[in-house]
Amino acid sequence: MTDLTSLTLAEARDRLKQRAISSVEITRAHLGAIERAEGLNTFVAITAEKALQMAEASDARLARKEAGPLEGLPIGVKDLYATEGVHTQACSHILDGFKPRYESTVTANLWRDGAVMLGKLNMDEFAMGSSNETSYYGPVASPWLPPNWSRDRGRAAALSSDKRGLLTPGGSSGGSASAVSARLCLAATASDTGGSIRQPAAFTGIVGIKPTYGRCSRYGMVAFASSLDQAGPLARTVRDAAIMLRSMAGPDPKDSTCSPTPVPDYEAAVGRSVKGMKIGVPKEYRLEGMSSEIERLWARGAEWLRAAGASIVDVSLPHTPYALPAYYIVAPAEASSNLARYDGVRYGLREPGADITELYEKTRARGFGTEVRRRLMIGTYVLSAGYYDAYYVRAQKIRTLIKRDFERVFADGVDAILTPATPSAAFGIGEKGSDNPVEMYLNDVFTVTVNMAGLPGLVAPAGLSSEGLPLGLQLIGRPFDEETLFALGETIEQSAGRMTLPEPWWA
Amino acid sequence: MSVDLNTVRRIAHLARIAVSEAEIPHLQGEINAILKFVEALDTVDVDGVEPMTSVIPMRLPMREDVVADGDIAPLVLANAPLTEDGFFVVPKVIE
Amino acid sequence: MATDRASAKLIKGATGDWEVIVGLEVHAQVTSRSKLFSAASTAFGGEPNSHVSLVDAAMPGMLPVINRECVAQAVRTGLGLKAQINRRSTFDRKNYFYPDLPQGYQISQYKSPIVGEGEIQVDLTPDHSIKVGIERLHLEQDAGKSLHDQSPTMSFVDLNRSGVALMEIVSRPDMRSADEAKAYVSKLRTLLRYIGSSDGDMEKGNLRADVNVSVRRPGDALGTRCEIKNVNSIRFIGQAIETEARRQIALIEDGGAVEQETRLFDPARGETRSLRSKEEAHDYRYFPDPDLLPLELDPAFIDAMAADLPELPDAKRTRFMADYGLSPYDASILVAERETADFFEDSVNHGGAKRDAKAVANWLMGDISAQANAQGVAVADAGLSPASLASLVDLIGEGVISGKIAKDLLVRLFADDRGADPRALVETHGLRQVTDTGAIDSAVDAVIAANADKAEQAKTKPGMLGWFVGQVMKSTGGKANPQAVSDALKKRLGV
């Protein structure tokens, strides 16, 4: 049944509509693939029974020609989203056993449109991480084998609990990215606060888009940094990502920061001509010591767009170097407040204490991993008396400057900005961050600017490194102009040629 | 800017996370590494710049004053580690 | 700031005079159906955790959405305080851990509140009036309730109140005595009830005050203040200020210094005690709530609130004095509760006529208020309507009944004949007063004849007149006009 898992989401949708295949068939195929991929550790909860029930209901609707836009399509859901009655822990020990009695708006939208839930996907704990190594459930392995590794070696490493040596899929949406790349689901929901959709997309050779801040509702998404978090899809093609985003996005009165603007037909933008579009290439993204491989890929991407009729201009975003440090003030600060509710009183883990203070301190010490603890401490510190102005307020001012840089460039007639997605290809599990946490943070250098400015950012696979690992390019757009990103992304995808995803070595 | 051991203890308490004495120095190191990293911001001229208060231009939506929620005590209590007679139960607060 | 007023309030210490400075932070629950950021009910009581939404319970992924009516109530109140309405205000998170604070933070307004500076006129007596400055008014969430006395080791948490909208109204430290502070709270409460933005019910905990007290020698700089938290009755506010002022004075006169701290008033002991714990003071780490946007008010919105404001107590009082010739004292009493003022006006003007306002006022402030207080209800619910009070006053004016008969009528109207028409009652029970001089003379003659010896004594003891009046009234079943009886007796007895 491997045929069915190698369909794109769009292809599967069309075949289902034509009744050439059934939802139950394609769902079963994916459940089988998931079972065989246990070694990758992508899923933390598999909802097989529920998936088949949903698939049956979808088949009935397909028979009645009442198909929704995602009817019968098996999807994975990042563990960050509240799914009613189903494991929702943001891959943290502190939410042990939590099964919400409510549904997030984004996933409710997916079910409204007929999608089928395969299960919940692994992620960095509370979305804090760039390699899916901070999860309570252990690291996720990328389906891409490290250079020169044999399949046997890969399989053996996948069987070990620390999976050392295998590649990280990136993070925090590592489980989502790995699962999509390994063809365990047709697409997945993910989230992006500093690059958590786009960086994993680049590492695993798939497509990811973080839409404009406020495009998707945050209701029912476990909050990390409220002014930066945004939901988005991971998929194997630009068209698939467009189809997913259209269902996920939309107004929601339950979220005060969710935009009331209607959602356009994103799929219609895929394949639109990019002739006449002006593409900015920002000089500040050319980092010192940047690998020539990435430089060349970037230049190649610009060439593809030029060949398709776009014009390329040099632009300047002078406050770029300050985005990452400012992010590591603002995000932890907001997180320190958002995670105060995890206190052992109303849900999740509770450690016994002689008084309430002891209960809090022990529960949170036991429940949070080391990365989360680190960020909560920093966040608490930068908001504390005497430091608030010097750190938090200053970082928020710099954020205004970062946003202004983009506004100026867009006002000059630039339609989108082209940059590399990551400073390198995927690295090995256990390779980074053990000495200095900042080492891991540098992964987000090209992506955080986009969250800080609230803009949409799309990553599409653009080629392979000299070692045969995927590399991606990022397109940054105007607010609420995801359509331009889909059009440009499609051009990149067509020019680069469809990425050949790895054949299963893990089973 | 860097933090001393006492500050680390104080922050841990503010954040209500128990940190053993043995862990404090290591945690201090981690925090200081991050603080060193963000020192890059000190040189930016932010004179006359407003801190960002809303990411996208949007008005704060307001809700009509109708009771449209609540009356779901079983759901509210469903995930709690300890309840009694409809209350959440916790060890005493020491004033 | 009249120095003679100030000197009247000075407290005598062991070593000289002291001035007490008081500022108040009043928390008033906003009258609204649902909470500030959640659509759960604000109704009082209810089973534990029944007026709680998932947002109030701070479940993962929950988000606040602001209630338009709470914003309107804050604006209305600001207008009533003659205060600056801030077109742009922001919400901040006040972060701390407590079991009745499920989010681990309270959404409040720290840097930019919705209402700025204003003032209230407070009249203590007809010739003692003060203006108390208002610094600001902001909206914030109330916390839930923890019960600590149900078990020796455990506390029980009910989140029903969690998220209910509060207005925090901060005064300038303009008060100089316990009486001034009490009068301020009373006036503020009246104002809130007029506007309808809070019911000011202190017994239900819908209005409470944090009282800031400091002392100084007249002319000196301000002293260190202490904050007495959560005082929930006007009487206790007064007591707390007096005991705290004396505590501080004694401390300083003994050579000590007042430390800035938070205290609690213990009514049973009649003293304040320190809340200062061994831990350091709270660091609330205020920052703008990223789940909300700045609140921007349209001028049209503010104008609409202003246009809809009812006549406020000060204006009503002035108008009552002008239109109805009431004394400042009477007018003040009548306007203290809007329902009473409305009842008064409706009675005076009932049926298009304009009857004796002073008479209406007297009945309202006297018997009817007494009855209402005894029953624990508003004057409008004591048993009379404005129409029936109007009838009563008319009946007296027409001479159909005497004041005494009117009092008897009231007794019936308060009890078995609630809501009845006084004119009908007069007819049914034959309560017309006897004014016929012939009838009165006969009654008087009869009583004198039956008490000849007392009649003799009355010539030298004029005080006995009263007894005779009583006897004649009794013999006529209370219906004789007392004045006419008295006159007739005087003539007959020769006193």
Side-chain angles (χ1 to χ4, degrees), chain A residues 256-286:
Chain A
S256 297
T257 61
C258 185
S259 172
T261 58
V263 182
D265 182 356
Y266 292 130
E267 196 182 354
V270 176
R272 244 181 234 163
S273 168
V274 304
K275 207 163 174 171
M277 284 193 192
K278 207 161 161 193
I279 309 300
V281 171
K283 63 179 200 248
E284 292 83 4
Y285 280 63
R286 188 161 286 114

Side-chain angles (χ1 to χ4, degrees), chain C residues 195-224:
Chain C
I195 295 169
S197 59
S198 175
D199 69 11
D201 189 335
M202 295 187 86
E203 264 165 48
K204 286 214 183 92
N206 293 351
L207 190 82
R208 26 191 217 257
D210 292 341
V211 188
N212 291 295
V213 181
S214 69
V215 295
R216 68 176 175 191
R217 301 266 189 213
D220 273 6
L222 286 175
T224 306

Side-chain angles (χ1 to χ4, degrees), chain C residues 355-376:
Chain C
R355 49 190 63 72
D356 184 352
K358 180 76 180 145
V360 172
N362 285 341
W363 285 110
L364 197 45
M365 295 190 298
D367 289 51
I368 298 176
S369 284
Q371 178 62 23
N373 287 338
Q375 285 181 26

Side-chain angles (χ1 to χ4, degrees), chain B residues 10 14 16 53-54 59-60 62-65 67-73 86 88-90 92-93 95, chain C residues 33-36 38-39 49-50 52 65-68 88 97-98 148 151 153-155 157 280 293 296:
Chain B
R10 184 173 58 85
L14 261 183
R16 293 298 188 272
T53 51
S54 60
R59 298 208 81 167
L60 179 66
M62 297 206 270
R63 172 178 50 92
E64 291 310 306
D65 185 27
V67 175
D69 212 337
D71 246 337
I72 49 167
F88 294 101
V89 183
V90 295
K92 267 222 160 90
V93 179
E95 287 284 349
Chain C
R33 291 187 208 102
S34 63
K35 297 181 176 181
L36 183 53
S38 105
N49 293 302
S50 60
V52 176
V65 183
I66 199 167
N67 180 336
R68 178 198 305 273
R88 188 177 182 281
F97 285 86
Y98 205 78
H148 302 300
S151 141
T153 51
M154 307 301 268
S155 293
V157 181
E280 50 191 80
L293 300 157
E296 315 246 2

Side-chain angles (χ1 to χ4, degrees), chain A residues 473-488:
Chain A
L473 284 173
Q474 173 177 243
L475 290 153
I476 306 170
R478 295 164 189 258
F480 297 102
D481 190 16
E482 287 78 6
E483 289 160 283
T484 296
L485 297 184
F486 285 122
L488 290 164

Side-chain angles (χ1 to χ4, degrees), chain A residues 32 64 75 145 155 198 213 235 239 299 306-307 320 331 340 387 395 413 416 434:
Chain A
R64 294 197 300 269
I75 305 291
L145 272 174
R155 215 175 353 248
R198 293 161 288 147
Y213 182 83
R239 177 176 300 270
R306 193 183 280 122
T320 299
Y387 300 104
S434 45

Side-chain angles (χ1 to χ4, degrees), chain A residues 169-323:
Chain A
S172 64
S173 311
S176 302
S178 182
V180 170
S181 183
R183 284 166 292 201
L184 309 181
C185 51
L186 289 173
T189 67
S191 72
D192 191 314
T193 305
S196 295
I197 288 176
R198 293 161 288 147
Q199 181 247 29
F203 275 14
T204 55
I206 60 176
V207 177
I209 179 167
K210 180 204 84 70
T212 311
Y213 182 83
R215 178 70 283 180
C216 294
S217 167
R218 290 183 300 112
Y219 179 84
M221 268 175 82
V222 175
F224 159 18
S226 316
S227 73
L228 297 157
D229 293 346
Q230 190 55 203
L234 281 165
R236 293 197 281 277
T237 68
V238 171
R239 177 176 300 270
D240 288 356
I243 296 168
M244 278 288 283
L245 184 62
R246 190 175 186 206
S247 287
M248 290 170 72
D252 184 6
K254 299 199 286 286
D255 174 358
S256 297
T257 61
C258 185
S259 172
T261 58
V263 182
D265 182 356
Y266 292 130
E267 196 182 354
V270 176
R272 244 181 234 163
S273 168
V274 304
K275 207 163 174 171
M277 284 193 192
K278 207 161 161 193
I279 309 300
V281 171
K283 63 179 200 248
E284 292 83 4
Y285 280 63
R286 188 161 286 114
L287 299 181
E288 206 184 296
M290 192 156 123
S291 87
S292 48
E293 197 167 54
I294 303 246
E295 280 241 44
R296 279 198 304 274
L297 183 81
W298 193 5
R300 212 173 329 135
E303 258 319 298
W304 290 333
L305 296 178
R306 193 183 280 122
S311 62
I312 312 294
V313 294
D314 286 326
V315 297
S316 175
L317 298 166
H319 293 93
T320 299
Y322 306 111

